[in-house]
Amino acid sequence: MQPATPLVLCVLLSQVLLLTSAEDLDCTPGFQQKVFHIDQPAEFIEDQAILNLTFSDCKGNDKLHYEVSSPYFRVNTDGSLVALRNITAVGKTLFVHARTPHAEDMAELVIVGGKDIQGSLQDIFKFARTSPVPRQKRSIVVSPILIPENQRQPFPRDVGKVVDSDRPEGSKFRLTGKGVDQEPKGIFRINENTGSVSVTRNLDRETIATYQLFVETVDVNGRTLEGPVPLEVIVIDQNDNRPIFREGPYIGHVMEGSPTGTTVMRMTAFDADDPATDNALLRYNIRQQTPDKPSPNMFYIDPEKGDIVTVVSPALLDRETLENPKYELIIEAQDMAGLDVGLTGTATATIMIDDKNDHSPKFTKKEFQATVEEGAMGVIVNLTVEDKDDPTTGAWRAAYTIINGNPGQSFEIHTNPQTNEGMLSVVKPLDYEISAFHTLLIKVENEDPLVPDVSYGSSSTATVHITVLDVNESPVFYPDPMMVTKQENISVGSVLLTVNATDPDSLQRQTIRYSVYKDPAGWLNINPINGTVDTTALLDRESPFVHNSVYTALFLATDSGNPPATGTGTLLITLEDVNDNAPFIYPTVAEVCDDAKNLSVVILGATDKDLHPNTDPFKFEIHKQTVPDKVWKISKINNTHALVSLLQNLNKANYHLPIMVTDSGKPPMTNITDLRVQVCSCKNSKVDCNAAGAPHFSTATALLLSLFSLARL
């Protein structure tokens, strides 16, 4: 048996989609002839008819469209097959697919004497064998099955046939693989007796482009007799996907004045169809430009690459003269290499004409006037400029500089970010008596540098004339603050100092009167005419109104202007300490157990409101302790503390012990304070002081109380 050629069964691949009505039963849709044989010429000549194909859908062939498996051929609307260019080798087989809304069919063109072109069929139909052609002779003969995608009803339909000339009687064909018994299951099936392969539904090449199936023969028990032999199903692409722009939004920028041919951006679309066919061969064009001024063709797009470039002269690409610096282009991508039958997709490209600093800022006038009261601060005038550049860029934003007339740095100028105006401010108070007029020279520049062929001119500088108005200024104390040092407790009526305030309005003759503004302790008085300050009470350094030995008072100086102006001065009085406070002890209560082995009672501390040397070291004594009463002892620990202890245990009671403490001042001051000592019962870790009984006094204390009682009789 001669092995079957790969083309023998191709005629079986042609399927006709029938959508006929009862009155069309005498017409068979499809190609009238499905297989043609053409002798291989020395060369196919461009646009020379090779043969004529006849196709009818029995409905008038409305919207008839042909597709050829080779990109070097096309079928004209009259059915003539022509070459698109002179070509010598095209392979052994061509396929022509015809389609209308009512029917579709495929014809095979066998090139007699044609030679295989390496990779041509694989490139067009994505055909690749899963295994090399076997060398050993087999009785199962299979050929690749080619099926157009998107076929219409009816289904199932036969798409190919498997032949086994030596198949034993009773054996059957079995088909396996993805699309049969593997997901997606049930797409293909085989007639187990005849070997006819059928498809059960339409296919989508963009989902699955090829199916790898396997054919084998089995006996009645399902045992494999021969095979499995690979059977490849190739889904032939149809132009059923529009180009899509997937990377938007598309925004490009080009600098104004750019040379003709400057590339702005690239736009590319995606087509899901077979990239090896014209179904995915895209061409680009600009469908619409908005606005269409100053030229309706400001830009050009490379039809193959999608590069958008400028096509107008640099002079027309002037942002300041354009109606709108933003252009919107409707870009269309069309497959089938841009032929009218191709599908299209569109997207919008936004192109911004970017500004460059080709215009310097200019003041709206050469001179500006400003008036300000002396002593006032803040913005006194806004300087206005014009700039034709883009307000959103540094080519428009202004930067102002005072280049003359500001030696004392009394003025500053800043840019208003909203209006671009220069806000001239007074930052140090002006004095009318020193200068009533000021003249400033101001220049303006852009944040961004100018382009080389543009410079700043005389319009980029302006003069500002400032008039200072005289106002009634407040008198000023000198010095401020005023300081004086005095001993506390000086006699009432003592003069502390005489304050001095002057009126800055030296050109006016005015008088000044003084008054007390704040005197927290009420110690001071001021002469309203000459400003002499004296005391109305004793000054006490230990007063709560004194902080860190300093007393603070405020005075007013008011001139005779209309209206009058008032200035404030501060007086700081540093009070020197005198020994006018006796020390006192702490604590004044203590407890001790009646059976204590440790006869220490309490550690006493002493403090004094005065300052050193009028404080410690302190002297601690028990005041007038008689010999029979000497059961108490006080011992110095350091300059500020002493220990009180017992010489023997005492009965449970309350005792009052007079403690005398003396400071180190000259003369010293002494204070006597009763220390109450509770002698408590301490048993079983419990301290009981409640039943201490009536207070017990030392003999000296009792004697003092008796004398005090007699004195009141």
Side-chain angles (χ1 to χ4, degrees):
M1 173 183 289
Q2 295 296 324
T5 67
L7 302 175
V8 170
L9 299 179
C10 287
V11 70
L12 298 175
L13 306 179
S14 303
Q15 297 298 318
V16 182
L17 177 62
L18 300 177
L19 299 174
T20 59
S21 58
E23 58 267 29
D24 297 326
L25 293 177
D26 57 341
C27 176
T28 303
F31 284 106
Q32 303 304 309
Q33 181 179 345
K34 301 185 186 296
V35 181
F36 298 85
H37 292 80
I38 305 172
D39 290 331
Q40 170 73 49
E43 185 177 33
F44 289 100
I45 306 301
E46 181 179 357
D47 290 334
Q48 180 177 328
I50 300 171
L51 57 83
N52 288 318
L53 299 97
T54 303
F55 175 87
S56 175
D57 66 353
C58 302
K59 295 287 186 179
N61 281 356
D62 182 38
K63 298 181 180 179
L64 174 60
H65 174 64
Y66 293 99
E67 291 177 332
V68 184
S69 60
S70 170
Y72 306 115
F73 295 87
R74 75 164 182 263
V75 178
N76 295 326
T77 55
D78 60 358
S80 59
L81 175 68
V82 297
L84 296 177
R85 68 179 187 182
N86 295 343
I87 188 170
T88 55
V90 297
K92 292 183 177 181
T93 307
L94 296 177
F95 295 93
V96 178
H97 181 239
R99 179 175 62 185
T100 73
H102 306 288
E104 61 179 297
D105 199 5
M106 187 181 292
E108 177 188 5
L109 283 66
V110 179
I111 311 300
V112 179
K115 298 180 179 180
D116 283 329
I117 298 178
Q118 181 67 28
S120 61
L121 189 61
Q122 288 88 336
D123 291 340
I124 297 170
F125 294 110
K126 297 297 183 185
F127 171 68
R129 295 184 181 272
T130 57
S131 59
V133 178
R135 296 182 180 179
Q136 69 272 22
K137 180 178 178 180
R138 281 180 172 172
S139 59
I140 298 178
V141 179
V142 297
S143 295
I145 298 176
L146 294 87
I147 306 174
E149 65 173 333
N150 303 325
Q151 288 182 315
R152 298 185 178 91
Q153 294 282 356
F155 291 105
R157 60 169 66 190
D158 290 341
V159 292
K161 188 172 183 179
V162 178
V163 177
D164 187 351
S165 57
D166 297 335
R167 182 163 62 93
E169 185 176 351
S171 64
K172 299 179 181 181
F173 290 102
R174 181 163 63 189
L175 188 65
T176 58
K178 180 180 179 181
V180 182
D181 57 350
Q182 300 175 24
E183 293 296 339
K185 296 180 180 180
I187 296 178
F188 303 100
R189 61 191 184 192
I190 191 170
N191 187 309
E192 61 184 15
N193 296 316
T194 65
S196 292
V197 179
S198 59
V199 63
T200 62
R201 57 178 183 263
N202 64 354
L203 304 178
D204 183 5
R205 190 204 68 85
E206 286 70 46
T207 302
I208 301 178
T210 61
Y211 294 86
Q212 305 295 330
L213 308 181
F214 297 91
V215 180
E216 58 185 343
T217 56
V218 297
D219 60 17
V220 293
N221 296 319
R223 291 192 296 269
T224 300
L225 299 177
E226 184 177 357
V229 177
L231 169 61
E232 193 145 21
V233 178
I234 301 105
V235 182
I236 301 175
D237 185 44
Q238 291 187 354
N239 193 19
D240 58 346
N241 288 278
R242 293 182 178 275
I244 299 174
F245 291 91
R246 303 191 297 185
E247 299 175 358
Y250 297 92
I251 301 176
H253 294 264
V254 62
M255 189 68 70
E256 64 172 329
S258 294
T260 303
T262 299
T263 300
V264 181
M265 60 191 300
R266 171 173 287 186
M267 291 186 64
T268 55
F270 169 77
D271 194 313
D273 290 320
D274 189 349
T277 69
D278 286 355
N279 295 339
L281 185 59
L282 304 182
R283 294 293 181 264
Y284 301 94
N285 70 90
I286 300 175
R287 292 292 302 273
Q288 180 180 333
Q289 171 190 300
T290 305
D292 58 0
K293 302 275 176 62
S295 168
N297 300 305
M298 299 285 289
F299 306 94
Y300 165 80
I301 188 168
D302 186 301
E304 296 184 5
K305 297 180 180 179
D307 289 338
I308 300 176
V309 299
T310 62
V311 293
V312 295
S313 66
L316 287 181
L317 210 60
D318 184 0
R319 185 193 165 281
E320 285 74 37
T321 61
L322 293 176
E323 177 183 319
N324 190 336
K326 181 175 74 172
Y327 285 87
E328 290 190 348
L329 308 180
I330 304 299
I331 306 299
E332 178 184 75
Q334 188 171 29
D335 58 22
M336 298 301 295
L339 296 178
D340 292 341
V341 295
L343 302 177
T344 62
T346 61
T348 299
T350 300
I351 299 177
M352 306 298 299
I353 310 301
D354 291 339
D355 187 40
K356 61 182 179 181
N357 198 8
D358 54 353
H359 295 85
S360 62
K362 298 178 180 179
F363 283 103
T364 57
K365 51 187 179 180
K366 289 298 296 179
E367 294 186 348
F368 294 85
Q369 305 292 330
T371 301
V372 59
E373 292 183 346
E374 65 172 331
M377 292 192 294
V379 177
I380 59 174
V381 65
N382 290 314
L383 309 184
T384 54
V385 295
E386 293 178 343
D387 195 317
K388 295 180 180 179
D389 291 313
D390 184 357
T392 63
T393 67
W396 177 82
R397 290 190 291 271
Y400 297 87
T401 306
I402 302 173
I403 58 177
N404 195 15
N406 190 28
Q409 305 300 310
S410 299
F411 303 93
E412 287 184 359
I413 188 165
H414 301 280
T415 304
N416 186 317
Q418 281 72 43
T419 65
N420 215 29
E421 295 176 346
M423 301 182 296
L424 181 63
S425 303
V426 177
V427 294
K428 292 182 180 179
L430 303 177
D431 191 340
Y432 171 84
E433 284 71 30
I434 295 177
S435 177
F437 300 97
H438 296 267
T439 300
L440 305 180
L441 186 61
I442 310 236
K443 73 173 181 180
V444 61
E445 297 178 339
N446 288 131
E447 290 183 1
D448 292 347
L450 295 173
V451 295
D453 55 341
V454 178
S455 61
Y456 295 103
S458 59
S459 297
S460 295
T461 59
T463 302
V464 182
H465 299 287
I466 302 164
T467 301
V468 182
L469 301 179
D470 187 26
V471 296
N472 186 24
E473 299 175 82
S474 302
V476 177
F477 284 88
Y478 182 83
D480 190 25
M482 300 161 283
M483 299 182 183
V484 65
T485 300
K486 297 292 180 179
Q487 272 195 347
E488 64 174 332
N489 299 333
I490 61 175
S491 59
V492 175
S494 297
V495 175
L496 300 181
L497 81 165
T498 298
V499 301
N500 179 41
T502 58
D503 194 336
D505 298 307
S506 58
L507 301 180
Q508 302 178 29
R509 292 177 176 248
Q510 299 185 132
T511 59
I512 297 176
R513 293 185 64 86
Y514 300 96
S515 60
V516 177
Y517 179 42
K518 287 187 178 179
D519 179 17
W523 292 341
L524 306 176
N525 175 64
I526 188 168
N527 186 301
I529 305 301
N530 60 24
T532 299
V533 179
D534 56 14
T535 62
T536 60
L538 293 178
L539 307 183
D540 184 7
R541 193 199 66 83
E542 291 76 33
S543 168
F545 299 108
V546 176
H547 302 285
N548 295 324
S549 300
V550 177
Y551 180 70
T552 302
L554 302 179
F555 297 93
L556 299 179
T558 305
D559 65 20
S560 57
N562 186 19
T566 300
T568 304
T570 302
L571 173 61
L572 302 179
I573 305 173
T574 300
L575 296 176
E576 295 178 342
D577 186 43
V578 298
N579 194 17
D580 58 349
N581 290 277
F584 56 90
I585 64 167
Y586 61 89
T588 58
V589 178
E591 292 180 357
V592 65
C593 292
D594 56 358
D595 58 352
K597 295 181 180 179
N598 182 358
L599 298 181
S600 296
V601 177
V602 66
I603 294 176
L604 296 180
T607 186
D608 194 317
K609 293 182 180 180
D610 293 318
L611 299 178
H612 190 78
N614 297 321
T615 55
D616 61 89
F618 298 112
K619 180 180 180 181
F620 296 89
E621 299 175 277
I622 299 175
H623 184 60
K624 296 183 179 180
Q625 183 177 204
T626 59
V627 175
D629 238 5
K630 285 187 178 180
V631 296
W632 303 94
K633 179 183 178 183
I634 189 164
S635 306
K636 178 180 177 181
I637 297 177
N638 54 32
N639 288 345
T640 57
H641 292 78
L643 173 65
V644 176
S645 57
L646 286 169
L647 298 177
Q648 63 186 46
N649 288 111
L650 296 178
N651 294 328
K652 182 178 179 182
N654 288 335
Y655 297 85
H656 290 267
L657 183 66
I659 303 296
M660 183 172 65
V661 58
T662 304
D663 62 25
S664 297
K666 294 181 180 180
M669 295 198 71
T670 300
N671 181 33
I672 300 174
T673 303
D674 273 352
L675 172 65
R676 184 163 66 94
V677 180
Q678 294 178 294
V679 179
C680 306
S681 173
C682 304
K683 295 181 179 180
N684 300 324
S685 301
K686 292 182 180 181
V687 178
D688 180 13
C689 298
N690 292 330
H696 285 217
F697 299 94
S698 65
T699 305
T701 302
L703 179 60
L704 285 174
L705 289 175
S706 300
L707 292 173
F708 179 74
S709 299
L710 291 172
R712 298 188 62 184
L713 293 176

